[in-house]
Amino acid sequence: QVQLVESGGGLVQAGGSLRVSCAASGRTFSNYAMGWFRQAPGKEREFVAAINWSGSNTIYGNSVKGRFTISRDNARNTVYLLMNNLKPEDTAVYYCAGGSSRYTQTNGSQFGHWGQGTLVTVSE
């Protein structure tokens, strides 16, 4: 049973930084790509970032490019999302997702495992 548990969400002022983490268990973490998605109230789920199995390839959504960084520590079975220069429009529940292959994926339907989400709130 694959489990993904996010942590690190919270309240931050605009312009600030926050790092969210996702601890994985239940399968060989290093064999799979990972991703982050987010969903704001009343909006559709949005792709944020993805990373391949080794960490050598990353891809970002246009709205976060240049501000967010995804990384992974395969020894700790953990994927991270460092968010800098946060804006109020970044407010959302952030979900960690486990991919179905080693390679970066951006479509939510390609991710077979999801965490419960962690809320990030950015105030003005």
Side-chain angles (χ1 to χ4, degrees):
Q1 186 79 1
V2 177
Q3 279 197 315
L4 302 173
V5 180
E6 300 97 334
S7 61
L11 175 63
V12 62
Q13 286 190 324
S17 297
L18 199 64
R19 189 180 78 163
V20 292
S21 304
C22 172
S25 62
R27 65 177 183 177
T28 305
F29 178 76
S30 58
N31 283 352
Y32 297 94
M34 297 293 294
W36 287 96
F37 291 77
R38 67 186 183 186
Q39 188 164 21
K43 294 190 176 181
E44 293 188 353
R45 184 177 62 195
E46 176 188 13
F47 168 74
V48 175
I51 188 166
N52 71 338
W53 64 282
S54 66
S56 63
N57 181 258
T58 57
I59 190 167
Y60 297 92
N62 287 336
S63 60
V64 306
K65 205 172 294 183
R67 299 187 297 123
F68 289 13
T69 302
I70 187 172
S71 61
R72 66 189 296 160
D73 184 341
N74 285 344
R76 295 179 183 271
N77 289 352
T78 302
V79 62
Y80 305 98
L81 183 69
L82 175 62
M83 303 178 285
N84 292 324
N85 190 21
L86 282 159
K87 305 175 181 180
E89 52 263 41
D90 294 317
T91 295
V93 176
Y94 284 72
Y95 295 94
C96 171
S100 56
S101 82
R102 290 189 165 205
Y103 308 105
T104 50
Q105 301 157 312
T106 62
N107 190 321
S109 64
Q110 297 170 310
F111 291 82
H113 304 283
W114 295 83
Q116 83 288 350
T118 186
L119 177 63
V120 173
T121 304
V122 184
S123 62
E124 298 277 358

